[in-house]
Amino acid sequence: MRKLLVLALVGLAAQLVDGALGMAYGLTSSTLLLFAGVAPAAASASVHLAEIGTTLAAGVSHWRFGNVDWRVVGRIALPGAIGAFAGATFLSSISTEAAAPWMAAILFTLGAYLLVRFSRPLRANRAAGRLRSRFLAPLGLVAGFVDATGGGGWGPVATPALLVSGRMEPRKVIGSVDTSEFVVAGAASIGFLIGLGSEGFLLPTVAALLVGGLIAAPIAAWLVRIVPAQLLGAVIGGVIVLTNARTLLSAGGVGGSVPVVVYVLLGVAWLVAVGLAVRALRRTRRARATVEAALAEGPAPAGESAASAEPAEFAKPGESAAPAEPAASGESAEAAESRKLAAAVEG
């Protein structure tokens, strides 16, 4: 009973992270299950079976709020399902001894990615045009394979790639990725069922993860309003890196004082990343306050550079502020100023 309660808390924590970041449910829950001693294939299979329920609930919620681009979902979900099925089949065919370091390496890499990504300002790069299948299909294939073999990774691989493309609103990126993950989780579960049989799924574990995730869903919607994704992403990335480093060091037969040195170095890197995340968060909040104050004052006087409203902290040391580009034809001074100041928020 105590173990099931712990697993429910794992599912709750993973869903809180996923709700705040738009990713990392499988990444977080698989890491904690491996740390608890669950076999890699069984951990991934159980997480994906639980994700069928959590992603269905998330997808319905995103659809109701208009956060889903069904064109993108259709073009990324099918390749993702193929990749997830192949990944589940691959993970089911190798031994636990071989799978543990493989899975830990994937999780370690994704955790390091979270550390790097959220220690820097979160930028938006708007671009014109629509995402094409020649980009979405390979992305879905790779993300699905990594997700099944690593026990998580669909969100950390697919979400940043779509955000960087600049062709979708962030809310639609998260909504479309979460919705398509329902298909990916189902395909991975079928692959594990064929490869491991029904005994490969730890049904009590699945139920506990699912219950915890469903309880956390409404809490996550509230949490995302008060906990900055910038800070939470850096914190969770460090937890994932340190937890999986233990498995990698054990698999490599590293002993003596080396593991201690590695843990210390990783801990220092984690603290640095969190510090950078806090700095970036404060910078963004100051820039947003400047934007709101400037917009409340009204349009800038004629002839005044819109770029003058940008805080000095955005200029690099030794560089002078660049003159503002002239407003596009037909664009009002207020619109030009709003556009320049909004760019400052993005860092």
Side-chain angles (χ1 to χ4, degrees), residues 15-46:
Q15 185 60 41
L16 290 178
V17 172
D18 191 82
L21 300 181
M23 63 179 80
Y25 176 87
L27 189 60
T28 304
S29 54
S30 294
T31 294
L32 295 177
L33 287 178
L34 287 179
F35 187 75
V38 178
S44 184
S46 301

Side-chain angles (χ1 to χ4, degrees), residues 86-176:
T89 303
F90 168 77
L91 189 62
S92 301
S93 64
I94 60 178
S95 65
T96 299
E97 292 74 16
W102 167 275
M103 193 168 173
I106 293 176
L107 294 171
F108 181 93
T109 302
L110 294 174
Y113 166 76
L114 290 180
L115 269 181
V116 173
R117 177 176 185 254
F118 287 99
S119 64
R120 301 179 299 172
L122 304 179
R123 301 175 184 269
N125 178 29
R126 298 289 182 266
R130 305 174 70 182
L131 291 168
R132 299 184 178 182
S133 297
R134 63 187 182 188
F135 168 76
L136 294 173
L139 174 62
L141 192 66
V142 172
F145 185 84
V146 170
D147 185 73
T149 55
W154 176 255
V157 173
T159 299
L162 294 178
L163 286 173
V164 169
S165 72
R167 299 175 187 271
M168 292 179 67
E169 299 175 59
R171 67 181 183 88
K172 288 202 171 184
V173 168
I174 294 174
S176 301

